[in-house]
Amino acid sequence: MSSETPEAPYREITFAGVALGVVVGVVMTVSFTYAGLKLGFTVPASMVSAMLGWGVLRGLLKKGSIVENNINQTVAAAINVSSAGVIFTVPVLYLFQAERARGAASVAASAQRAGQSIEQYVASHPELQSIDPKFLWAMAGASVAGALLGVLFIIPSRKQMIELERLVFPTGVATATILKASASGARRARMLMWGIVSSVLFATFVGLPGVVKGLPWPAIEDFSISERLHLPAWFAITIAVSGGLTSIGGGYITGRAGLVLMVGAVIGHWIVTPAVVTQGWLPDRAWLDVVARAGSDVDAARTVLSAHGEHCRAANTCAELVAVGQQLASGAHGHAPRETANTVLGAWAYRNVTRPLGVGMLLGGSIASVILTAPVLLAAIKSVRRARAQSGSKKGDGPEELDPKLMYTGVATGFVILVFAAWMGVRAVGTDSIGVGSILLASAIATAWMWLANIIVSITTGKTDNSPLSGMALITILLILTALGRSEAGVMVAMVMAVAVCVATGQGSDMMQDLKTGHLVGALPRRQQLTQLVVAWVGPLVSLVTLFILAKKFVLGNDPLTAPQAQAIKAAIELLAPAPDASVAQQALAEATRLRYAVGAAVGLTLTLGVGGGLGVVLGLSMYLPMSVTLTYFIGCVITVLTEKRFGKEWVEERGVPLAAGWLVGEGLAQVVLVGVDLARVAAGGR
């Protein structure tokens, strides 16, 4: 007998690892829900959680192993990844509600009494976008179903994608590198914590005056360079202050590849918007907003507005107000009205021309990305066939994967939840136009597409590190509306299915990233699969609650939470299922907006197919986002280039990226906490 004592097994699935992953995942879900609504995209949580794992498991507890930290990052990423699926889709409900408010006569009257344009009035009254909680319950069910199905559908493809085809999965490889870097792990963790602490302090300092009245410093949203240079308000050169570290952090992590975003911002904010204003490409309706806002202290303007404002809103013609508005914009009534008029004109051109063109490019670029994945689709089908053949011929492969019976039970459970979520959505709409049979058909179509989309996105992620989630959601909406028709209930079912597909494809691609990491550090796939399956449902619910809280304070679709991906999905729904009860004015504006969507989609489609690299999506996103966000993000990219040139690539990876990731996490968390405190203050009777 040997006298040697057998070695203790590596710590892998432990209470400390799972608990840390849950805490980190929840915190990052809260933070990245805010950041994603602001920036239009999210960043992987795996690397952030791996860095924190070094600091807590190895630094504080003094007993963490690589595979235990791998479980930590798997859990955290599984919870966090669903935030993208939620924020790309669910805000569409709020956007539609705000759109209805803009067309309401009562809102128009209130805006006139307040001396504001309708856009400005709606943007300052979050209660106008409130939706029935029943819709959120339906979306919660869809998110949970998508989270379960997303994990289960991708598991059979693991061996083919990771072990046989050896897809790269760049984020998975980078996370494995962090897990293995014992020497630098503690340093990265410290830099990450410094970033979190500094961003929380900064965001609290900037946002506190909006919560606590009477502080000696003002709340500052943006810093306008245009104003300091005495440039017209429609020529935007603005840097974000509130949320600025989020933008800088996102730009720094993206690095050189993100510089192209500024090209779209220049086109949108320095060419398209100024051209619309200076060339007079404005409808009469725009001048109503000018007179309502800039003419609030001008007797002649108030008189004309009182006499003709209601007629203009109803008939969408404002000939009587054009001359008065032009006088205000030219400075005939003083400097202050001219500045206000130019601000209104710039905002109108940006919202009604530049943004629809940008959303259209997002739409066209997403469609082009799906077209370009056609070869990937064929490869995916072949991969699944090969994986099945190999699993049938090799009996020893079973213990590496989850028990097939558990997978079948999970898929059945997810499908039932999806059907129930769609049923709740139809009930919330309050119509019987869609029955149980149609709901079952839609659920079956969405589930089949979800399986296929999951494979497509996972292979795309494995090759490029890009996840075209919104494109998969757009195709889902097209499929369901084609099957069920374009009624209000049909749109709601399509939204439920789009949420499920978007969450599922995010979970599937993240599962493969994590399994790639586990493959490189020697983890057992079955354990990662089980832990992700157990916690996958947490993230969507946390993200939905965070979204609900933010919507109490901010009007989605407006700065700072512009929700660009949701805007693209809203545009697709408006093209496929226009509102039947719109007024003449709303129909005219909708027709013009649809034309701009179409033009933008054609440009985005052509750019992406012709040049590749998702160029249509990138330029469309930067045209849509406020200049304050894009310019600040661009600054972050430039800082990456400069620091890499000055200190080297290793310094950027070891110090710069963890610090920037901390900014991204900390500021989003602080913003959500401030909003919660403000809501609690109002609920307690404060003002």
Side-chain angles (χ1 to χ4, degrees):
M1 294 181 61
S2 172
S3 60
E4 293 182 7
T5 303
E7 292 185 7
Y10 274 117
R11 292 167 55 89
E12 189 164 359
I13 298 182
T14 64
F15 175 80
V18 174
L20 177 62
V22 170
V23 172
V24 172
V26 169
V27 169
M28 286 195 297
T29 299
V30 172
S31 302
F32 288 3
T33 297
Y34 171 85
L37 289 169
K38 183 178 181 65
L39 299 176
F41 58 88
T42 59
V43 298
S46 301
M47 291 185 288
V48 175
S49 54
M51 295 177 204
L52 284 173
W54 273 116
V56 176
L57 299 175
R58 183 65 65 88
L60 296 179
L61 301 181
K62 307 294 185 183
K63 54 185 178 181
S65 69
I66 290 178
V67 288
E68 182 183 16
N69 200 3
N70 180 53
I71 289 293
N72 155 58
Q73 70 85 15
T74 297
V75 171
I79 293 174
N80 171 258
V81 73
S82 297
S83 62
V86 170
I87 62 180
F88 288 177
T89 52
V90 178
V92 173
L93 300 176
Y94 290 97
L95 296 174
F96 273 124
Q97 189 64 21
E99 195 70 35
R100 294 188 189 98
R102 293 185 188 96
S106 59
V107 173
S110 298
Q112 182 176 346
R113 287 193 298 270
Q116 296 178 318
S117 67
I118 294 177
E119 292 292 345
Q120 187 182 34
Y121 184 82
V122 172
S124 59
H125 289 77
E127 68 277 5
L128 295 176
Q129 68 176 348
S130 297
I131 60 176
D132 191 326
K134 294 177 183 176
F135 292 122
L136 291 179
W137 281 111
M139 297 304 159
S143 300
V144 171
L148 295 176
L149 293 173
V151 174
L152 293 170
F153 278 158
I154 204 60
I155 287 174
S157 302
R158 180 199 67 83
K159 182 174 287 292
Q160 180 66 34
M161 291 187 191
I162 293 177
E163 296 185 12
L164 300 180
E165 294 186 3
R166 298 182 181 274
L167 297 183
V168 178
F169 290 102
T171 295
V173 173
T175 304
T177 302
I178 293 173
L179 293 176
K180 293 177 179 179
S182 58
S184 62
R187 181 167 61 247
R188 287 179 175 178
R190 285 195 298 270
M191 294 303 295
L192 179 68
M193 291 307 301
W194 275 114
I196 293 174
V197 171
S198 61
S199 62
V200 166
L201 293 175
F202 175 80
T204 303
F205 177 82
V206 171
L208 204 57
V211 177
V212 179
K213 306 301 179 183
L215 293 178
W217 68 90
I220 304 175
E221 292 289 334
D222 297 324
F223 178 78
S224 176
I225 299 175
S226 299
E227 184 179 339
R228 301 301 188 277
L229 298 177
H230 303 290
L231 296 172
W234 37 259
F235 193 85
I237 309 177
T238 311
I239 297 175
V241 176
S242 178
L245 288 183
T246 298
S247 298
I248 291 177
Y252 192 94
I253 292 172
T254 306
R256 191 182 303 272
L259 296 174
V260 70
L261 276 173
M262 196 62 196
V263 176
V266 169
I267 294 172
H269 294 277
W270 295 350
I271 296 177
V272 175
T273 298
V276 171
V277 176
T278 58
Q279 299 303 312
W281 299 334
L282 297 161
D284 290 353
R285 177 72 184 222
W287 295 104
L288 169 64
D289 293 342
V290 170
V291 175
R293 175 94 183 275
S296 58
D297 295 326
V298 178
D299 291 338
R302 286 204 303 265
T303 301
V304 174
L305 184 65
S306 177
H308 301 287
E310 289 302 321
H311 167 72
C312 172
R313 291 186 180 93
N316 203 39
T317 175
C318 304
E320 300 85 356
L321 297 171
V322 172
V324 177
Q326 290 175 340
Q327 290 174 3
L328 291 166
S330 67
H333 295 280
H335 174 75
R338 182 186 67 186
E339 291 300 308
T340 303
N342 282 326
T343 299
V344 172
L345 290 174
W348 194 97
Y350 166 62
R351 181 175 183 85
N352 294 283
V353 179
T354 305
R355 286 175 70 173
L357 287 173
V359 169
M361 290 178 67
L362 267 172
L363 193 60
S366 298
I367 294 171
S369 296
V370 174
I371 293 173
L372 291 173
T373 59
V376 174
L377 172 58
L378 297 176
I381 296 173
K382 293 178 181 178
S383 296
V384 173
R385 289 177 179 172
R386 285 196 296 267
R388 286 180 176 174
Q390 290 161 0
S391 63
S393 62
K394 293 185 179 181
K395 300 296 185 180
D397 291 343
E400 291 188 349
E401 315 291 350
L402 279 182
D403 185 342
K405 293 180 181 179
L406 176 61
M407 293 175 58
Y408 298 148
T409 302
V411 169
T413 302
F415 181 79
V416 171
I417 296 173
L418 183 60
V419 171
F420 185 66
W423 178 78
M424 286 193 297
V426 172
R427 290 289 300 272
V429 171
T431 178
D432 297 325
S433 60
I434 290 183
V436 175
S438 296
I439 291 175
L440 286 171
L441 173 63
S443 300
I445 293 172
T447 302
W449 168 239
M450 187 187 301
W451 168 77
L452 196 55
N454 213 355
I455 295 173
I456 294 172
V457 171
S458 294
I459 293 179
T460 303
T461 304
K463 292 184 175 181
T464 68
D465 218 26
N466 292 318
S467 303
L469 303 185
S470 57
M472 301 299 110
L474 290 171
I475 294 176
T476 306
I477 290 171
L478 175 61
L479 291 173
I480 302 303
L481 289 181
T482 301
L484 301 188
R486 303 179 180 184
S487 64
E488 187 177 0
V491 171
M492 178 50 58
V493 174
M495 277 297 305
V496 168
M497 301 304 161
V499 171
V501 169
C502 207
V503 171
T505 50
Q507 280 288 351
S509 60
D510 175 72
M511 180 82 267
M512 297 306 289
Q513 293 272 24
D514 292 339
L515 288 172
K516 178 70 173 185
T517 302
H519 178 72
L520 294 174
V521 300
L524 186 63
R526 184 180 70 253
R527 292 174 180 172
Q528 283 187 272
Q529 294 163 1
L530 181 61
T531 52
Q532 180 142 353
L533 183 63
V534 169
V535 303
W537 59 273
V538 176
L541 301 184
V542 173
S543 190
L544 278 169
V545 171
T546 305
L547 177 64
F548 178 77
I549 293 173
L550 290 172
K552 292 288 186 180
K553 182 71 174 179
F554 303 107
V555 176
L556 304 183
N558 295 273
D559 198 15
L561 303 184
T562 53
Q565 300 285 5
Q567 287 279 9
I569 293 177
K570 173 177 175 284
I573 294 174
E574 288 174 333
L575 290 170
L576 296 169
D581 57 346
S583 65
V584 174
Q586 288 175 312
Q587 289 176 2
L589 183 59
E591 286 294 330
T593 302
R594 278 195 288 271
L595 176 61
R596 291 161 193 144
Y597 287 152
V599 172
V603 174
L605 187 73
T606 303
L607 282 173
T608 304
L609 291 178
V611 181
L615 187 60
V617 173
V618 173
L619 294 183
L621 178 66
S622 54
M623 284 182 65
Y624 172 84
L625 288 173
M627 174 57 82
S628 59
V629 173
T630 310
L631 184 55
T632 313
Y633 183 90
F634 174 75
I635 291 172
C637 296
V638 171
I639 294 174
T640 306
V641 174
L642 295 178
T643 53
E644 183 175 328
K645 184 177 180 180
R646 175 67 177 83
F647 301 108
K649 188 174 182 179
E650 183 178 354
W651 188 95
V652 170
E653 293 177 351
E654 297 287 337
R655 300 177 184 273
V657 170
L659 184 67
W663 289 346
L664 205 62
V665 173
E667 186 160 26
L669 182 63
Q671 291 283 2
V672 173
V673 171
L674 285 172
V675 171
V677 170
D678 194 26
L679 293 177
R681 176 185 59 81
V682 173
R687 292 186 177 181

Short mmCIF file of all heavy atoms in Angstrom, two decimals, residues 611-651:
data_model
loop_
_atom_site.label_atom_id
_atom_site.label_comp_id
_atom_site.label_asym_id
_atom_site.label_seq_id
_atom_site.Cartn_x
_atom_site.Cartn_y
_atom_site.Cartn_z
N VAL A 611 -19.39 46.21 -47.39
CA VAL A 611 -18.14 46.41 -46.65
C VAL A 611 -17.94 45.34 -45.58
O VAL A 611 -16.83 44.90 -45.31
CB VAL A 611 -18.10 47.83 -46.03
CG1 VAL A 611 -16.79 48.04 -45.28
CG2 VAL A 611 -18.28 48.88 -47.10
N GLY A 612 -19.06 44.92 -44.96
CA GLY A 612 -18.97 43.92 -43.91
C GLY A 612 -18.65 44.53 -42.57
O GLY A 612 -18.68 45.76 -42.38
N GLY A 613 -18.35 43.68 -41.60
CA GLY A 613 -17.97 44.17 -40.28
C GLY A 613 -19.08 44.83 -39.51
O GLY A 613 -18.83 45.58 -38.56
N GLY A 614 -20.34 44.61 -39.92
CA GLY A 614 -21.45 45.25 -39.22
C GLY A 614 -21.44 46.76 -39.33
O GLY A 614 -21.93 47.46 -38.44
N LEU A 615 -20.91 47.29 -40.44
CA LEU A 615 -20.75 48.74 -40.57
C LEU A 615 -22.09 49.46 -40.51
O LEU A 615 -22.20 50.54 -39.91
CB LEU A 615 -20.03 49.07 -41.88
CG LEU A 615 -19.65 50.54 -42.08
CD1 LEU A 615 -18.71 51.01 -40.97
CD2 LEU A 615 -19.00 50.75 -43.44
N GLY A 616 -23.12 48.89 -41.12
CA GLY A 616 -24.43 49.54 -41.09
C GLY A 616 -24.96 49.69 -39.69
O GLY A 616 -25.51 50.73 -39.32
N VAL A 617 -24.78 48.66 -38.87
CA VAL A 617 -25.24 48.71 -37.48
C VAL A 617 -24.45 49.75 -36.69
O VAL A 617 -25.02 50.54 -35.94
CB VAL A 617 -25.10 47.32 -36.82
CG1 VAL A 617 -25.40 47.40 -35.33
CG2 VAL A 617 -26.01 46.31 -37.50
N VAL A 618 -23.14 49.77 -36.88
CA VAL A 618 -22.28 50.70 -36.13
C VAL A 618 -22.61 52.15 -36.47
O VAL A 618 -22.79 52.99 -35.58
CB VAL A 618 -20.80 50.39 -36.41
CG1 VAL A 618 -19.91 51.46 -35.77
CG2 VAL A 618 -20.42 49.03 -35.86
N LEU A 619 -22.69 52.46 -37.76
CA LEU A 619 -22.97 53.85 -38.15
C LEU A 619 -24.39 54.24 -37.77
O LEU A 619 -24.64 55.38 -37.35
CB LEU A 619 -22.76 54.01 -39.66
CG LEU A 619 -21.32 53.84 -40.17
CD1 LEU A 619 -21.25 54.11 -41.66
CD2 LEU A 619 -20.37 54.77 -39.43
N GLY A 620 -25.34 53.32 -37.93
CA GLY A 620 -26.71 53.63 -37.54
C GLY A 620 -26.82 53.90 -36.05
O GLY A 620 -27.50 54.83 -35.62
N LEU A 621 -26.13 53.09 -35.25
CA LEU A 621 -26.15 53.28 -33.81
C LEU A 621 -25.59 54.64 -33.43
O LEU A 621 -26.17 55.36 -32.61
CB LEU A 621 -25.34 52.17 -33.14
CG LEU A 621 -25.21 52.23 -31.61
CD1 LEU A 621 -26.56 52.02 -30.96
CD2 LEU A 621 -24.22 51.17 -31.12
N SER A 622 -24.48 55.03 -34.04
CA SER A 622 -23.86 56.31 -33.68
C SER A 622 -24.64 57.50 -34.22
O SER A 622 -24.57 58.59 -33.65
CB SER A 622 -22.41 56.36 -34.18
OG SER A 622 -22.33 56.08 -35.56
N MET A 623 -25.38 57.34 -35.32
CA MET A 623 -26.27 58.41 -35.78
C MET A 623 -27.44 58.58 -34.82
O MET A 623 -27.93 59.69 -34.59
CB MET A 623 -26.81 58.11 -37.19
CG MET A 623 -25.81 58.34 -38.30
SD MET A 623 -26.53 58.03 -39.93
CE MET A 623 -27.79 59.33 -40.01
N TYR A 624 -27.89 57.47 -34.27
CA TYR A 624 -29.05 57.51 -33.39
C TYR A 624 -28.71 58.06 -32.00
O TYR A 624 -29.47 58.84 -31.42
CB TYR A 624 -29.63 56.10 -33.25
CG TYR A 624 -30.71 56.03 -32.21
CD1 TYR A 624 -32.01 56.38 -32.51
CD2 TYR A 624 -30.42 55.65 -30.90
CE1 TYR A 624 -33.00 56.35 -31.55
CE2 TYR A 624 -31.40 55.62 -29.94
CZ TYR A 624 -32.69 55.96 -30.27
OH TYR A 624 -33.66 55.94 -29.32
N LEU A 625 -27.58 57.64 -31.45
CA LEU A 625 -27.22 58.04 -30.09
C LEU A 625 -27.00 59.55 -29.99
O LEU A 625 -26.55 60.18 -30.95
CB LEU A 625 -25.95 57.32 -29.65
CG LEU A 625 -26.07 55.82 -29.36
CD1 LEU A 625 -24.68 55.23 -29.12
CD2 LEU A 625 -26.97 55.57 -28.17
N PRO A 626 -27.30 60.16 -28.85
CA PRO A 626 -26.99 61.58 -28.65
C PRO A 626 -25.49 61.82 -28.80
O PRO A 626 -24.68 60.96 -28.45
CB PRO A 626 -27.46 61.85 -27.22
CG PRO A 626 -28.42 60.77 -26.90
CD PRO A 626 -27.98 59.57 -27.68
N MET A 627 -25.13 62.99 -29.30
CA MET A 627 -23.72 63.32 -29.47
C MET A 627 -22.97 63.25 -28.14
O MET A 627 -21.80 62.86 -28.10
CB MET A 627 -23.58 64.70 -30.08
CG MET A 627 -22.15 65.22 -30.17
SD MET A 627 -21.04 64.12 -31.10
CE MET A 627 -21.41 64.60 -32.77
N SER A 628 -23.64 63.58 -27.04
CA SER A 628 -22.97 63.55 -25.74
C SER A 628 -22.46 62.15 -25.42
O SER A 628 -21.35 61.98 -24.89
CB SER A 628 -23.93 64.02 -24.64
OG SER A 628 -25.08 63.20 -24.59
N VAL A 629 -23.24 61.12 -25.76
CA VAL A 629 -22.83 59.74 -25.49
C VAL A 629 -21.70 59.33 -26.43
O VAL A 629 -20.67 58.79 -26.01
CB VAL A 629 -24.03 58.78 -25.63
CG1 VAL A 629 -23.58 57.33 -25.52
CG2 VAL A 629 -25.07 59.09 -24.56
N THR A 630 -21.90 59.57 -27.74
CA THR A 630 -20.93 59.11 -28.74
C THR A 630 -19.59 59.82 -28.59
O THR A 630 -18.53 59.19 -28.68
CB THR A 630 -21.48 59.33 -30.16
OG1 THR A 630 -22.79 58.78 -30.25
CG2 THR A 630 -20.60 58.65 -31.18
N LEU A 631 -19.62 61.12 -28.37
CA LEU A 631 -18.37 61.87 -28.24
C LEU A 631 -17.60 61.43 -27.00
O LEU A 631 -16.37 61.27 -27.03
CB LEU A 631 -18.66 63.37 -28.19
CG LEU A 631 -17.44 64.30 -28.14
CD1 LEU A 631 -16.49 64.04 -29.30
CD2 LEU A 631 -17.88 65.77 -28.13
N THR A 632 -18.31 61.19 -25.90
CA THR A 632 -17.65 60.73 -24.68
C THR A 632 -17.10 59.33 -24.87
O THR A 632 -15.99 59.01 -24.40
CB THR A 632 -18.64 60.76 -23.50
OG1 THR A 632 -19.34 62.02 -23.49
CG2 THR A 632 -17.92 60.60 -22.18
N TYR A 633 -17.85 58.48 -25.55
CA TYR A 633 -17.39 57.12 -25.87
C TYR A 633 -16.14 57.19 -26.75
O TYR A 633 -15.17 56.45 -26.53
CB TYR A 633 -18.51 56.39 -26.59
CG TYR A 633 -18.23 54.95 -26.94
CD1 TYR A 633 -18.53 53.93 -26.06
CD2 TYR A 633 -17.68 54.61 -28.17
CE1 TYR A 633 -18.29 52.61 -26.38
CE2 TYR A 633 -17.42 53.29 -28.50
CZ TYR A 633 -17.74 52.30 -27.61
OH TYR A 633 -17.49 50.99 -27.94
N PHE A 634 -16.15 58.08 -27.72
CA PHE A 634 -15.01 58.27 -28.62
C PHE A 634 -13.77 58.69 -27.82
O PHE A 634 -12.65 58.23 -28.09
CB PHE A 634 -15.36 59.33 -29.66
CG PHE A 634 -14.23 59.73 -30.56
CD1 PHE A 634 -13.80 58.90 -31.58
CD2 PHE A 634 -13.60 60.96 -30.40
CE1 PHE A 634 -12.75 59.27 -32.41
CE2 PHE A 634 -12.56 61.34 -31.23
CZ PHE A 634 -12.14 60.49 -32.25
N ILE A 635 -13.96 59.55 -26.83
CA ILE A 635 -12.84 59.96 -25.97
C ILE A 635 -12.24 58.75 -25.27
O ILE A 635 -11.01 58.61 -25.16
CB ILE A 635 -13.31 61.02 -24.96
CG1 ILE A 635 -13.64 62.33 -25.69
CG2 ILE A 635 -12.25 61.26 -23.88
CD1 ILE A 635 -14.29 63.38 -24.81
N GLY A 636 -13.11 57.84 -24.80
CA GLY A 636 -12.61 56.62 -24.17
C GLY A 636 -11.77 55.79 -25.13
O GLY A 636 -10.72 55.25 -24.76
N CYS A 637 -12.21 55.68 -26.40
CA CYS A 637 -11.44 54.93 -27.41
C CYS A 637 -10.08 55.59 -27.65
O CYS A 637 -9.06 54.90 -27.78
CB CYS A 637 -12.23 54.87 -28.72
SG CYS A 637 -13.78 53.96 -28.63
N VAL A 638 -10.08 56.92 -27.74
CA VAL A 638 -8.83 57.65 -27.97
C VAL A 638 -7.86 57.45 -26.81
O VAL A 638 -6.65 57.27 -27.01
CB VAL A 638 -9.12 59.15 -28.19
CG1 VAL A 638 -7.82 59.95 -28.22
CG2 VAL A 638 -9.89 59.36 -29.49
N ILE A 639 -8.38 57.46 -25.59
CA ILE A 639 -7.52 57.25 -24.42
C ILE A 639 -6.87 55.87 -24.48
O ILE A 639 -5.69 55.70 -24.12
CB ILE A 639 -8.33 57.41 -23.11
CG1 ILE A 639 -8.79 58.87 -22.97
CG2 ILE A 639 -7.50 57.01 -21.91
CD1 ILE A 639 -9.72 59.10 -21.79
N THR A 640 -7.62 54.87 -24.96
CA THR A 640 -7.03 53.53 -25.12
C THR A 640 -5.85 53.56 -26.08
O THR A 640 -4.78 52.99 -25.80
CB THR A 640 -8.08 52.54 -25.65
OG1 THR A 640 -9.23 52.56 -24.81
CG2 THR A 640 -7.52 51.13 -25.71
N VAL A 641 -6.05 54.21 -27.22
CA VAL A 641 -4.99 54.28 -28.22
C VAL A 641 -3.76 54.99 -27.65
O VAL A 641 -2.62 54.53 -27.82
CB VAL A 641 -5.48 55.02 -29.49
CG1 VAL A 641 -4.33 55.22 -30.47
CG2 VAL A 641 -6.62 54.24 -30.15
N LEU A 642 -3.98 56.08 -26.92
CA LEU A 642 -2.86 56.86 -26.37
C LEU A 642 -2.13 56.08 -25.27
O LEU A 642 -0.89 56.07 -25.22
CB LEU A 642 -3.37 58.19 -25.84
CG LEU A 642 -3.96 59.16 -26.88
CD1 LEU A 642 -4.48 60.43 -26.21
CD2 LEU A 642 -2.91 59.52 -27.93
N THR A 643 -2.89 55.46 -24.38
CA THR A 643 -2.23 54.73 -23.29
C THR A 643 -1.51 53.48 -23.81
O THR A 643 -0.45 53.11 -23.28
CB THR A 643 -3.25 54.32 -22.21
OG1 THR A 643 -4.35 53.62 -22.82
CG2 THR A 643 -3.77 55.53 -21.47
N GLU A 644 -2.07 52.84 -24.83
CA GLU A 644 -1.38 51.69 -25.40
C GLU A 644 -0.07 52.11 -26.06
O GLU A 644 0.95 51.43 -25.96
CB GLU A 644 -2.28 50.99 -26.42
CG GLU A 644 -1.67 49.73 -27.01
CD GLU A 644 -2.63 48.99 -27.92
OE1 GLU A 644 -3.84 49.04 -27.67
OE2 GLU A 644 -2.16 48.37 -28.90
N LYS A 645 -0.11 53.27 -26.72
CA LYS A 645 1.12 53.78 -27.35
C LYS A 645 2.15 54.19 -26.31
O LYS A 645 3.37 54.00 -26.50
CB LYS A 645 0.77 54.98 -28.24
CG LYS A 645 1.94 55.53 -29.03
CD LYS A 645 1.49 56.67 -29.95
CE LYS A 645 2.68 57.22 -30.74
NZ LYS A 645 2.24 58.33 -31.64
N ARG A 646 1.67 54.76 -25.21
CA ARG A 646 2.59 55.27 -24.18
C ARG A 646 3.10 54.17 -23.26
O ARG A 646 4.29 54.11 -22.93
CB ARG A 646 1.86 56.34 -23.35
CG ARG A 646 2.66 56.90 -22.18
CD ARG A 646 3.86 57.70 -22.64
NE ARG A 646 4.58 58.28 -21.53
CZ ARG A 646 5.47 57.65 -20.79
NH1 ARG A 646 5.78 56.38 -21.06
NH2 ARG A 646 6.07 58.27 -19.78
N PHE A 647 2.20 53.26 -22.81
CA PHE A 647 2.59 52.28 -21.79
C PHE A 647 2.65 50.84 -22.31
O PHE A 647 3.16 49.97 -21.61
CB PHE A 647 1.60 52.33 -20.62
CG PHE A 647 1.51 53.68 -19.95
CD1 PHE A 647 0.40 54.48 -20.12
CD2 PHE A 647 2.56 54.15 -19.18
CE1 PHE A 647 0.31 55.72 -19.51
CE2 PHE A 647 2.48 55.38 -18.56
CZ PHE A 647 1.35 56.18 -18.74
N GLY A 648 2.07 50.60 -23.48
CA GLY A 648 2.10 49.25 -24.03
C GLY A 648 0.78 48.52 -23.85
O GLY A 648 -0.06 48.87 -23.00
N LYS A 649 0.59 47.48 -24.65
CA LYS A 649 -0.66 46.73 -24.65
C LYS A 649 -0.88 46.00 -23.33
O LYS A 649 -2.01 45.89 -22.84
CB LYS A 649 -0.65 45.73 -25.81
CG LYS A 649 -1.97 45.02 -26.02
CD LYS A 649 -1.93 44.16 -27.27
CE LYS A 649 -3.27 43.48 -27.50
NZ LYS A 649 -3.26 42.65 -28.73
N GLU A 650 0.19 45.51 -22.74
CA GLU A 650 0.05 44.78 -21.48
C GLU A 650 -0.49 45.69 -20.38
O GLU A 650 -1.32 45.28 -19.56
CB GLU A 650 1.40 44.19 -21.07
CG GLU A 650 1.32 43.36 -19.80
CD GLU A 650 2.66 42.75 -19.43
OE1 GLU A 650 3.62 42.88 -20.22
OE2 GLU A 650 2.75 42.15 -18.34
N TRP A 651 -0.01 46.94 -20.32
CA TRP A 651 -0.49 47.89 -19.32
C TRP A 651 -1.98 48.12 -19.49
O TRP A 651 -2.74 48.19 -18.51
CB TRP A 651 0.27 49.21 -19.44
CG TRP A 651 -0.01 50.18 -18.33
CD1 TRP A 651 0.72 50.35 -17.19
CD2 TRP A 651 -1.10 51.11 -18.26
NE1 TRP A 651 0.15 51.35 -16.40
CE2 TRP A 651 -0.97 51.83 -17.04
CE3 TRP A 651 -2.16 51.42 -19.09
CZ2 TRP A 651 -1.86 52.81 -16.64
CZ3 TRP A 651 -3.08 52.40 -18.70
CH2 TRP A 651 -2.92 53.09 -17.49
#
